[in-house]
Amino acid sequence: MAERAMGGKGSCARIVPLLLFVLILAGCAGGPGAGGYRGGNIAGNWVSIQRGDTLGQIAKQAGVPLLRLQRFNPGVDARRLAIGQRILVPTHRERAPGSGPYRYQVRPGDTYSSIAQRFGSTARRLQTANPKFSANALNVGQLLKVPRGGSARTTASTTQSSSSTASKPAARSRTLPDPGALPDSARTWHWPLKQYEIARAYGTDARGTLQPMLLSTSANTQALAVADGTVRFADSMRQLGRVVIIHHRDNMQSVYALCERLLVEDGDEVKQGTPVCDVGYRHDTGRYDLLFDVRHGGKPVDPKQVLR
């Protein structure tokens, strides 16, 4: 097994940070990757605002009501859209009635806390509104009821508190709770490739942006599940190609991106070493690359801490 550090170049440096919005979530998220949306079905995806865009145009392309798009993006001012600003486009299954509750479709990396934070609710209220679902076992595509905000008393109290601290910037932290020390079950994971070179190690780049690990390999190579688990996502993500997300014991997740062909489906139970996808060739790097990410409770982890 070869292991050699190489510098990532080209568009890879621009694409890779998108994976951090997956899971996260955050996380891998972080939800589907952001990016341009023209030329494809954007319903259910995150999109990035481009020059000249309006929410009306985005809603029209997605085939969803403008009001629903606006309600799924609280705090976004339609008159002050910024280039690169990320917008969540609802699916046709989702709803946003004025009286609530909203109907929200779970995306990769979502947690009750992240969903609640987005819509001004609380994780406790989401759990109460969805008693049949476990907060620790959300499935991608699952429809949840999302209560709107707090009670009238809470809203009034919040408004009064906000007016008294208007000089302070609003705190909109997306920091996930600390999941604690890595579990023992994550100390014996195998590498996702039998033969590989580390094209870019996990860590921050010159701009301070956290980058997942990028592995290069040879043609006709399959990525392997690093540990036993359940496939929670197996589909395409904008600018990340085909992606597989596996949930493991003790709130651990592994992500395999830039795949050429998927070999597993949502809900599959996999064993350590099970092929999950064919590694794809990338013209911008001239290599067969696999973007690999590890998460603990949605928070990024250096793969070298768990891979053996």
Side-chain angles (χ1 to χ4, degrees):
M1 176 173 64
E3 180 175 335
R4 179 166 60 88
M6 299 166 54
K9 297 181 179 179
S11 63
C12 179
R14 297 189 297 272
I15 295 175
V16 170
L18 300 178
L19 185 58
L20 298 180
F21 295 111
V22 177
L23 285 171
I24 150 133
L25 241 160
C28 171
Y37 61 88
R38 294 183 177 87
N41 181 12
I42 62 172
N45 290 325
W46 287 91
V47 300
S48 287
I49 295 298
Q50 301 176 22
R51 187 177 301 277
D53 282 345
T54 67
L55 291 186
Q57 292 171 337
I58 297 173
K60 183 177 180 179
Q61 181 175 345
V64 299
L66 174 58
L67 184 58
R68 187 188 306 171
L69 176 64
Q70 292 172 320
R71 287 177 174 171
F72 265 69
N73 293 275
V76 172
D77 188 339
R79 298 166 299 178
R80 294 180 174 83
L81 298 179
I83 295 176
Q85 184 176 8
R86 300 177 71 244
I87 302 295
L88 177 60
V89 183
T91 67
H92 299 280
R93 302 173 64 203
E94 294 175 301
R95 296 290 184 270
S99 59
Y102 288 1
R103 186 165 71 184
Y104 177 84
Q105 183 172 310
V106 175
R107 291 162 170 81
D110 276 343
T111 65
Y112 273 163
S113 295
S114 65
I115 297 171
Q117 184 178 40
R118 176 170 189 80
F119 294 107
S121 187
T122 66
R124 184 185 295 272
R125 296 190 70 204
L126 257 71
Q127 181 66 81
T128 301
N130 300 274
K132 295 182 179 180
F133 300 141
S134 170
N136 296 320
L138 295 180
N139 295 316
V140 173
Q142 199 171 45
L143 288 174
L144 299 177
K145 294 180 180 179
V146 182
R148 290 189 60 205
S151 64
R153 175 179 292 183
T154 301
T155 302
S157 175
T158 301
T159 302
Q160 182 177 1
S161 176
S162 299
S163 63
S164 65
T165 58
S167 60
K168 298 181 180 180
R172 299 189 64 185
S173 172
R174 293 181 179 271
T175 303
L176 293 172
D178 186 357
L182 286 174
D184 291 339
S185 61
R187 304 280 181 184
T188 58
W189 287 11
H190 293 176
W191 284 78
L193 300 172
K194 292 183 178 179
Q195 298 291 332
Y196 63 88
E197 294 177 346
I198 299 180
R200 187 194 51 247
Y202 168 94
T204 56
D205 60 16
R207 294 175 296 179
T209 302
L210 187 61
Q211 302 278 1
M213 177 180 284
L214 185 68
L215 302 174
S216 66
T217 187
S218 56
N220 303 317
T221 297
Q222 295 178 333
L224 310 176
V226 295
D228 296 356
T230 303
V231 177
R232 294 298 190 190
F233 182 85
D235 207 338
S236 297
M237 287 188 181
R238 195 171 301 279
Q239 295 195 22
L240 288 174
R242 294 176 174 84
V243 179
V244 175
I245 300 174
I246 301 178
H247 283 212
H248 308 279
R249 290 174 51 195
D250 302 319
N251 206 17
M252 296 290 297
Q253 302 90 32
S254 59
V255 184
Y256 316 73
L258 305 179
C259 297
E260 176 66 25
R261 182 170 66 101
L262 301 180
L263 304 176
V264 293
E265 298 180 349
D266 290 358
D268 284 355
E269 298 289 336
V270 296
K271 296 293 185 182
Q272 187 176 61
T274 298
V276 297
C277 73
D278 293 334
V279 178
Y281 177 80
R282 305 189 61 219
H283 294 281
D284 57 334
T285 64
R287 302 189 304 256
Y288 288 86
D289 287 340
L290 177 72
L291 199 62
F292 181 70
D293 198 26
V294 174
R295 297 270 164 159
H296 180 208
K299 302 191 73 172
V301 174
D302 186 346
K304 285 191 173 183
Q305 293 187 44
V306 299
L307 300 177
R308 299 291 182 266

